[in-house]
Amino acid sequence: MTEYDIAVIAGDGIGPEVTREALKVLGVAGDVFGFHVRGTEFPFGTDHWLATKELFPDPAFEEVRGMHAVLLGAIGDPRAPVGLVEHGVIMRMRVGLDLYVNLRPVKLYDARLCPLKDKRPEDVDLVIVRENTEDAYTAKPEFLNKGGPDEVSSQPMRYTRKGTERIIRYAFELARKRNKHRKLLLIDKTNALPAQDLWTRVFAEVAREYADVKTEHAYIDAACMWMVKNPEWFDVAVTTNLFGDIITDLGAMVQGGMGIAASGNIHPGRVSLFEPIHGSAPKYAGKNVACPVAAIMAVSMMCEYLGQRPAAVAIEKAVIDLLVSRRLKGVGTGDHPTNEVGDLVAAELKKVPARV
Ligand code: IPM
Ligand code: MG
């Protein structure tokens, strides 16, 4: 039987609760589809940092590097300085494991979840491919005359040709593989940020190798507008780290909210990290009100990545069926007790006829 070693970092706030449900689903998916998952839990997050001042020690990091995938719950807690644990855990893995693709599908599972008027599931089915290792995110912040009246701070948006090319190539491949409209949209802000001309040129160069994929372009501000006005125009879109961060929160709302949006931080062929897009929501922690669907969809993405596509599809179908039939009441906070959701999805999976 195929076996997978998975690192589990439940993290802060609602992270442990949603991760528990996601793991229930992953375990049952393995039983039904014939694979075994060995989960190793790592305690990293704010509690661990407060207790030990340790963020992600090197030996643990090397252990994770040797695994097949990572499932992350959520990181962030006001008891730690802003961004410290996020950098020490999430950014450490994104950069340290060179997870250059941040894959963020935006898919509406049930019309009632969409805040936009008259949009149906067939109107909202797109993927944002966010570059995940460069941009201002990984540039050094600088403060001159800190605290003084002439203070200047900066953090450059830095792009390399190699980093830009590999993410654009991944997006072209995805547009081809998805085979929906075979359309790839480049989102940038070259009208105001000429440094992004690198993206324009590399996009045009790579496009020549993908004559079967239609190319489009939009500035990030307009892309946000189109996402709300005409989400049906999108198929696959590729963009920079920072713009991708922003537009995927918008995308998450269009597909039903932070309770449902999942993502993969991927380096094809290497250990990759799957997580809900939402944060740790400390005020809801331990109340059994958080929606674990996003974490469950992260597990679906993980299955797809690991080559267990039937399991990935079955998890997604289970979630859709449960939402459409309203056995799953919703994906908002408090819509459904957290600890029942994993069982509901698992029960649906068990109805899938055993593979021969
Ligand atoms: C995300 C989050 C992170 C990001 C934070 C927690 C650093 O917002 O995954 O979208 O900005 O990338
Ligand atoms: Mg974000």
Side-chain angles (χ1 to χ4, degrees):
M1 188 188 285
T2 315
E3 301 220 336
Y4 300 106
D5 279 309
I6 305 295
V8 178
I9 305 175
D12 298 333
I14 59 171
E17 290 162 81
V18 299
T19 303
R20 200 171 304 128
E21 299 310 296
L23 286 174
K24 275 185 199 170
V25 171
L26 185 58
V28 171
D31 294 344
V32 172
F33 291 93
F35 60 90
H36 181 69
V37 175
R38 245 189 331 260
T40 304
E41 296 197 17
F42 292 88
F44 309 127
T46 303
D47 282 332
H48 187 77
W49 178 77
L50 287 170
T52 63
K53 289 288 170 286
E54 202 175 65
L55 286 166
F56 205 141
D58 292 341
F61 197 80
E62 290 314 311
E63 197 181 335
V64 167
R65 198 193 289 282
M67 296 190 162
H68 293 98
V70 185
L71 177 65
L72 180 85
I75 297 287
D77 185 305
R79 293 171 299 164
V82 176
L84 177 83
V85 187
E86 289 87 332
H87 262 93
V89 179
I90 304 180
M91 296 304 293
R92 173 93 194 273
M93 284 189 283
R94 287 182 183 167
V95 176
L97 301 173
D98 198 26
L99 307 174
Y100 67 91
V101 181
N102 196 325
L103 191 64
R104 299 194 155 181
V106 176
K107 194 165 168 185
L108 178 61
Y109 288 153
D110 184 0
R112 74 182 159 109
L113 302 179
C114 188
L116 307 178
K117 195 153 62 71
D118 301 331
K119 294 298 177 194
R120 303 147 303 164
E122 55 269 40
D123 296 321
V124 181
D125 178 12
L126 59 111
V127 185
I128 305 285
V129 178
R130 165 186 175 190
E131 200 290 320
N132 212 26
T133 55
E134 300 197 332
D135 207 349
Y137 266 74
T138 50
K140 204 167 146 278
E142 256 182 27
F143 300 89
L144 295 176
N145 306 316
K146 197 165 185 175
D150 296 321
E151 179 163 0
V152 179
S153 74
S154 64
Q155 187 151 351
M157 299 170 118
R158 192 174 164 280
Y159 311 104
T160 64
R161 175 173 278 269
K162 287 198 180 80
T164 305
E165 182 175 336
R166 64 181 180 172
I167 193 67
I168 286 175
R169 190 172 295 282
Y170 182 94
F172 269 106
E173 287 290 333
L174 181 65
R176 179 180 274 172
K177 188 169 126 219
R178 242 167 82 86
N179 205 14
K180 195 184 170 217
H181 301 305
R182 286 197 176 215
K183 224 164 61 172
L184 179 62
L185 173 70
L186 170 66
I187 302 176
D188 61 37
K189 188 66 192 171
T190 21
N191 54 346
L193 306 170
Q196 293 190 347
D197 181 56
L198 175 61
W199 281 72
T200 313
R201 285 180 281 120
V202 171
F203 188 76
E205 284 166 26
V206 178
R208 283 191 221 117
E209 296 169 40
Y210 295 87
D212 54 320
V213 177
K214 236 179 48 232
T215 58
E216 295 181 329
H217 170 259
Y219 297 127
I220 179 64
D221 48 350
C224 290
M225 181 268 288
W226 294 124
M227 175 85 87
V228 170
K229 191 168 179 290
N230 296 101
E232 65 277 9
W233 289 355
F234 289 75
D235 179 3
V236 179
V238 64
T239 192
T240 61
N241 202 342
L242 180 58
F243 295 164
D245 175 50
I246 296 166
I247 200 169
T248 53
D249 266 26
L250 181 62
M253 291 318 290
V254 171
Q255 73 182 119
M258 301 310 278
I260 199 165
S263 67
N265 298 259
I266 295 171
H267 186 121
R270 292 200 204 157
V271 58
S272 292
L273 157 70
F274 299 84
E275 56 171 338
I277 288 185
H278 64 65
S280 56
K283 70 176 172 190
Y284 297 122
K287 299 203 164 98
N288 205 31
V289 294
C291 176
V293 171
I296 290 169
M297 289 314 302
V299 155
S300 166
M301 292 184 75
M302 180 191 286
C303 289
E304 167 102 45
Y305 180 73
L306 294 172
Q308 299 291 341
R309 187 169 162 76
V313 172
I315 294 170
E316 182 175 54
K317 184 174 178 310
V319 167
I320 295 173
D321 289 349
L322 288 166
L323 281 168
V324 170
S325 65
R326 302 204 179 218
R327 281 171 292 159
L328 185 56
K329 291 180 203 122
V331 293
T333 303
D335 283 352
H336 208 110
T338 312
N339 64 352
E340 290 177 13
V341 180
D343 295 324
L344 270 176
V345 176
E348 288 300 293
L349 289 179
K350 286 182 186 153
K351 293 182 192 162
V352 175
R355 284 196 317 173
V356 274

